[in-house]
Amino acid sequence: MSHQPETKESSPTPEVLRNQISQTREGLGRTVQALVAKADVKALAREQAAEAKEKAVEVKEQAVVNAALVTDKLRDKAAHAARVVHDRTPEPVREKAGQAAATTRNHRGAIIAATVALTALVLAMRTRRQR
């Protein structure tokens, strides 16, 4: 077996070798940076915490929107029910109810005092019976 020395055409030039070395170094640098980033547990935890916080904000915002929709629906249904009751209630009954409400508003203090007195009387009577 005869071994022929490499010719100038088959041997890489120093410039080509430098470029290959530079490219290899850059590739290794990127690989090392990627490995370091994967091994950075604190950074990963911070990133996951930030993502969880974003998700929590989204969920909260959606809950607020849903609550507003439900509130609006309930308000509409209550208003409809009030209209139906009003429309089906005879006029004399509506007048008496309005008078009762006005009387209650005008004599609120007296009604509270009477309720307190009645409650005290009932409690006193119970206490006497238990003895």
Side-chain angles (χ1 to χ4, degrees):
M1 232 180 75
S2 75
H3 186 272
Q4 294 180 345
E6 290 185 348
T7 64
K8 223 177 181 170
E9 294 173 7
S10 64
S11 296
T13 64
E15 182 67 29
V16 169
L17 288 174
R18 280 189 215 102
N19 286 339
Q20 288 176 346
I21 290 170
S22 176
Q23 289 175 355
T24 302
R25 282 182 182 157
E26 287 177 18
L28 285 173
R30 286 190 299 272
T31 302
V32 168
Q33 286 176 343
L35 290 172
V36 167
K38 286 184 179 181
D40 190 353
V41 176
K42 286 183 181 180
L44 286 174
R46 282 191 299 269
E47 184 178 310
Q48 289 174 347
E51 289 173 4
K53 185 177 179 181
E54 279 182 35
K55 185 66 177 174
V57 168
E58 289 173 14
V59 168
K60 178 185 174 190
E61 289 172 353
Q62 188 61 47
V64 168
V65 168
N66 290 342
L69 291 174
V70 169
T71 301
D72 289 345
K73 285 182 181 180
L74 289 174
R75 187 179 304 121
D76 291 346
K77 287 186 178 193
H80 175 72
R83 281 191 305 272
V84 168
V85 168
H86 181 271
D87 293 345
R88 292 186 182 173
T89 303
E91 184 61 34
V93 174
R94 281 190 293 203
E95 284 179 19
K96 289 292 182 186
Q99 290 171 358
T103 301
T104 302
R105 278 192 301 273
N106 293 336
H107 302 291
R108 188 174 293 151
I111 291 172
I112 291 172
T115 304
V116 169
L118 182 60
T119 303
L121 179 63
V122 169
L123 290 175
M125 290 173 59
R126 277 191 182 173
T127 303
R128 286 187 182 162
R129 282 188 191 157
Q130 289 177 355
R131 289 183 188 180

